[in-house]
Structure formats: C-alpha cells, structure tokens
Amino acid sequence: MRVLVRGLKPPASVTRHRRFFHVIDPANPDPAIPPQSQWWALFVISLTQLVVVLDGTIVNIALPQAQLALDMDDHLRQWVVTAYALAFGALLLLGGRIADFWGRKRTFMVGMVGFGLASLYAGMANAGWELILGRALQGVFAATLAPAALALLTTLFPSGKERNVAFAVFGTVAGAGAAVGMVLGGFLTEFLDWRWCLLVNIFFVAVGLIGGALFLTESKAGGDNRYDMWGALLVTAGLGSLVYGFTLAETGWDSPLTITFIAVGVIVLAVFVWVEMKVSNPLLPLRVVTHRVRGGAFLIQAVAGSVMIGATLYLTFHLQIVLGMGALEAGVASLPLPLGTMVLAGLATKMLGTVGPRPMLIGGPLVVAAALIYLSFITPGGNYFVQVAPALLVMGMGMAFVFIPLQNVALTGVAPHDAGVASAVTNSAMQIGGSIGLSVFTAVYAAAVGGHAQGEVGLDTLAGGYSGVFIAAAVGMLLASVIAITMVRGRKEDLLPQGPVSGDAPVSSDEPVSSDTFTSEDTDTGTFSLAR
C-alpha cells in the first residue's frame, strides 16, 4: 500500500528510503549527538579534510630535496605527486560505497590508521620507487577516509544556517589546505628534513583517531548493501589509464602510447557507465552525477583541483628554482593564497545565504583566472611583492567564492543512501582533476622548455615554462565560470538544502510517527510517500 502525504507539518520531519524511514528532530538531526558535540565533530572532520588536501601539496616544497636525496629524474619526480592523486581519485567511489555500507565512522577510523602507516612507510623511503609506492598507499587509504568524513558532515548538518556554516568551514579548509601544506612543508624541510613532510601526518592521525572515537557516531545506509565489484574494477582501470595517458603527453600528444592509454581510459569509462545503468546496486548511481546542478559542481571541483594541485606545484618551482628561495621562505611566500581565502570566508558564508551559490560560482573563477593571468608575467629578476604576492592574494580571495559554496551545492538533494558515494565523487573530481591538470600542465611546461631537463635550460626559459602553466590554469578557471553559468542554474532556494535529511541507518517502519512536514529526499516535488 502506498500513502501519499502532502502539506502536513509535524514537530519532527520524516524522510524515506524504500521501506524504511528515520525520524529527525530539525533542531538536532542526530538525537545521539548533542549540539556541542556536533561542532567538535566538525573540527575532527575538517582536520581530516586538511590532512587529505594538505598531503597533496606538502611534499611539493620538499620535492627538490627529495629528488636529490633519492636520485630521481624529472619524470619520476612528477609521479610523487601523481601517484597520490591517482590512487586517491580512482578508488574514491569504492571508498564512498564502503563507507555507506560498512559504516562511516568505522571506515573513517580504519582509513586514519592505514593513512598513518602509509605515511610512515613513505617517510622512511630509501629509493624513488619506495616513495612513490608510499604515496600511492596514502592515496588508497585517503580514498576511504575522505568520503567517510564528508558523508558524516552531510548527515550531521542536513540543512539550514548550521549547514552553511559547517560547509563554509569545510570549504575554507579545502581551499586553503593546499597552501597550508606548502608552508608547513617549507618549515619542516628547512628545520628538520624533507621526510618530516610525510611523517608529520602521524600526529594528525593520532588527533583524528582520538577525536573520532570521542565525537563521531556510527551511521550507514539502509536497503541493498551489495558491492558492485565490476563497477569498481572498471572505474579504477578507466581512470588509471586516462590519467597515465595524460602523464605521457609531456613526451608529445601524438605519441602512440599517449593516444592508446587515453583512448582505452575513455572506452573503459564508457563501459563503466553502461554497467552502472544495468546493475541493481551500482557503485555510482547515475542519478548522483546526471543531476545538472550537481554535475556542474563536480566539473568545477575538477577544474579547481587542477589549479590547487597542479598550478601550485609549478609556483613552488618558480619560488625555489627561479627566485632562489629556501624551502621555508618559499612556504611563507605562498601564505597570501590561504590568507586571501580566510579573509573572505566570513563574507562568502553570509553571501551564500543571501545571494545564493550561483553568482559566487560564476564570479569566483573569474577572479582566480585574472590572478593567474597576472601571475603569468613572472620574470627571473622580478620582485616577489610585485609579481607574485598580489596574484596569490587575489587568487585566494577568488577561491573563497569557489570552495565555500561548492561543497554545499555538490551534495544538495542527495539521498541518504548515496551520501558516501556522492561525497566520494566530490573528492574524486578534485583529485582526478588535479592528476589530469598536473599532467596537462607538465605537457605545457615541457613544450615551453623544449623537452629539456630543468638543469639544461636558463632561468628565463624556466620562467617562460611556468608562465605557460599559469595561462593554461587561467583558461581552466574561465571554463569553470562557463560551467557555472550553464549548469548551476535555479533559485537560491533550489540550490541549497531547505529541510532535514536523514543520513543514519533506518529504523523500523513500525515506529510511531508524528504528523507534520514530510520532505522528499529524492525529488524536488515536495511530495513524500510511504511504502509498506
């Protein structure tokens, strides 16, 4: 029997997933979590996001020293960054489903432990391949850690002002984390050793484990919890082949290997989409990504990831190699980027509730693009405070208007059963975007320097190569603004969650229910149905 309920308003709202529902108090989405504990949980989750984003760039500052210590060539050097981003991005969808089905807190805790052990292994590496393997293992465990954390955040703060504040904090950390990694990496490399850029994660892991045990509560998706292993294999192989093909592009876009790996990646991903349309319990329910607004948010996230992961790496090279800064000096020199984001975080949070995310996602990338174009005028003899610092400050301000609304919009309207996988797509978009972006930027740089190693060319040529990278990144951000114009469309009320959404495991449908407002988790119709 199906009962259609319209317009009723109980003191507690009810959401549905198939044969199950969960009763939610709007003032306290999870009755097991006092409001104060929710904010402590936000601290733990934000710390996790900081570790994940920071680890994508903290080794950037240390790379010149690590390259010399482990005798790596330029191609192998790139894989220290790519291995992490590739493993992370390729496995995130599976990690998201594991979090949904196995338990989000449990997955979070296991991911923390594994990430700490992988960091220890990488920090003790004595050869280039060991460092790359350790970075890949970090990516594997980050792929379980990150979606679990974001899914926990989504269920803790389902709607309203508190959600905007929580996602503003989370978005600020995401936007500033890459630059914070460069500062911290510079400090550790200068005063300790490049290995501490990896070993420092053990401290963050310890804090995360203690905080997770104290303030996080378990939740999982109800219903059909079977894993789609074919989907997992296909998406991992497809993304891996695609990213590897782009890394080969630095030797030439017309190379047979480059074309082959990119083509195979596209074909395998197409097969993955076909499989997801056929299986009963897909790894990636296509409704998550085919939603126009969410799809646009994922694409913008990918472009932003390419800039924050790829372009900041070449900024590091310019600061250290061309301008001759030490590791710590280069880290401090990157501070205007996160400072710009933090300065405008409060304003961006207020604007999210007043003007909505669409104007912010259109204007933010344009500001970042303008800053990158300004940065492209760097010269070997240029003054840092004239050529670099202003661009980084403006770039950080623009990123505040990108990351703060982006995480919120990317998860708008997602059903509780899909919270983990939707969170995984959000993170995966940034990491895969970063991997592909870094590969494209490397190809642009290689073309600018004529394929020569950095020691074989002068500083003018190196600065010209880095300038080309920044112009390519600016083009990407202009594309992000176009994506926002065409895909992130709708009223402010339609683009932000307006009602509570359940994220925990369902309770029995035999429990009594107060009658009042029922909100749909799957549609925008305002209609809710109970199936028995």
Side-chain angles (χ1 to χ4, degrees):
M1 177 182 74
R2 296 183 66 85
V3 181
L4 192 65
V5 185
R6 296 178 184 270
L8 301 178
K9 295 190 175 181
S13 60
V14 180
T15 57
R16 171 191 61 87
H17 177 71
R18 296 180 182 173
R19 293 180 179 272
F20 304 94
F21 58 83
H22 191 111
V23 181
I24 305 287
D25 179 1
N28 184 16
D30 188 340
I33 306 177
Q36 186 176 6
S37 296
Q38 281 183 290
W39 297 108
W40 279 110
L42 172 62
F43 169 78
V44 175
I45 293 169
S46 297
L47 177 68
T48 304
Q49 179 68 3
L50 175 64
V51 172
V52 169
V53 177
L54 173 150
D55 220 67
T57 59
I58 192 172
V59 298
N60 289 0
I61 291 286
L63 262 183
Q65 288 85 346
Q67 183 178 8
L68 291 174
L70 301 180
D71 194 27
M72 294 184 290
D73 59 26
D74 289 351
H75 178 72
L76 207 58
R77 178 189 67 182
Q78 177 193 334
W79 273 98
V80 176
V81 178
T82 301
Y84 175 80
L86 175 57
F88 188 12
L91 294 173
L92 267 166
L93 292 179
L94 179 59
R97 268 315 191 209
I98 291 173
D100 280 337
F101 297 165
W102 194 45
R104 291 158 188 149
K105 178 180 177 179
R106 184 183 301 172
T107 304
F108 175 91
M109 300 296 277
V110 171
M112 270 288 186
V113 172
F115 190 84
L117 293 174
S119 299
L120 178 62
Y121 176 82
M124 302 299 291
N126 292 312
W129 70 267
E130 291 180 341
L131 176 59
I132 292 171
L133 176 60
R135 292 283 289 163
L137 290 174
Q138 283 184 311
V140 169
F141 287 103
T144 61
L145 181 63
L150 189 52
L152 286 166
L153 182 67
T154 303
T155 57
L156 277 170
F157 299 93
S159 65
K161 181 179 179 181
E162 290 78 11
R163 178 185 172 102
N164 289 345
V165 172
F167 274 84
V169 172
F170 194 84
T172 302
V173 171
V180 170
M182 294 170 67
V183 177
L184 182 59
F187 177 84
L188 295 173
T189 302
E190 188 84 12
F191 290 105
L192 297 174
D193 184 76
W194 66 266
R195 297 179 184 276
W196 280 99
C197 293
L198 298 157
L199 298 176
V200 71
N201 288 322
I202 298 173
F203 166 76
F204 291 117
V205 166
V207 174
L209 287 173
I210 295 171
L214 291 176
F215 302 114
L216 300 181
T217 59
E218 187 60 279
S219 68
K220 62 176 67 175
D224 190 351
N225 287 348
R226 291 173 298 172
Y227 291 99
D228 172 21
M229 295 312 299
W230 277 111
L233 291 172
L234 286 169
V235 73
T236 302
L239 290 175
S241 179
L242 187 65
V243 171
Y244 184 65
F246 276 102
T247 64
L248 295 175
E250 65 177 274
T251 62
W253 290 98
D254 57 350
S255 166
L257 279 179
T258 300
I259 296 172
T260 299
F261 275 100
I262 292 177
V264 168
V266 171
I267 292 171
V268 173
L269 290 176
V271 174
F272 165 72
V273 172
W274 180 80
V275 169
E276 299 307 275
M277 294 172 62
K278 300 297 181 182
V279 297
S280 59
N281 197 35
L283 175 71
L284 175 60
L286 296 183
R287 61 182 175 270
V288 172
V289 293
T290 54
H291 185 280
R292 186 190 66 212
V293 173
R294 286 197 298 267
F298 296 147
L299 290 175
I300 296 171
Q301 184 90 323
V303 176
S306 72
V307 173
M308 295 306 294
I309 294 174
T312 54
L313 175 61
Y314 283 93
L315 170 65
T316 300
F317 294 157
H318 176 70
L319 295 175
Q320 292 194 58
I321 298 172
V322 176
L323 298 186
M325 294 184 179
L328 178 59
E329 190 180 2
V332 173
S334 67
L335 272 177
L337 179 56
L339 287 177
T341 301
M342 288 186 285
V343 164
L344 286 189
L347 175 62
T349 303
K350 292 180 180 178
M351 288 182 63
L352 184 61
T354 55
V355 305
R358 175 175 160 84
M360 299 170 69
L361 289 175
I362 293 173
L366 294 177
V367 174
V368 176
L372 287 165
I373 292 173
Y374 182 91
L375 192 59
S376 70
F377 289 99
I378 52 173
T379 59
N383 186 288
Y384 162 79
F385 292 100
V386 175
Q387 292 190 348
V388 180
L392 294 184
L393 184 63
V394 174
M395 182 177 167
M397 292 178 175
M399 281 298 183
F401 291 100
V402 174
F403 282 110
I404 286 177
L406 197 57
Q407 301 281 357
N408 214 329
V409 172
L411 296 174
T412 294
V414 173
H417 192 75
D418 298 329
V421 71
S423 303
V425 174
T426 304
N427 281 286
S428 183
M430 183 163 187
Q431 295 301 322
I432 294 299
S435 296
I436 294 176
L438 177 57
S439 301
V440 172
F441 296 153
T442 300
V444 170
Y445 164 79
V449 300
H452 297 289
Q454 68 179 31
E456 300 174 354
V457 296
L459 295 182
D460 285 328
T461 303
L462 289 176
Y466 304 149
S467 176
V469 168
F470 299 140
I471 291 174
V475 172
M477 293 309 296
L478 290 174
L479 177 61
S481 184
V482 173
I483 292 171
I485 292 172
T486 56
M487 298 184 70
V488 185
R489 300 168 61 185
R491 299 177 305 164
K492 176 187 67 175
E493 294 77 12
D494 297 329
L495 298 177
L496 294 175
Q498 299 300 313
V501 179
S502 168
D504 294 341
V507 295
S508 168
S509 60
D510 293 327
E511 280 196 34
V513 183
S514 309
S515 61
D516 207 9
T517 303
F518 295 109
T519 58
S520 170
E521 66 188 42
D522 299 312
T523 69
D524 298 323
T525 62
T527 303
F528 177 78
S529 61
L530 291 176
R532 300 192 66 171

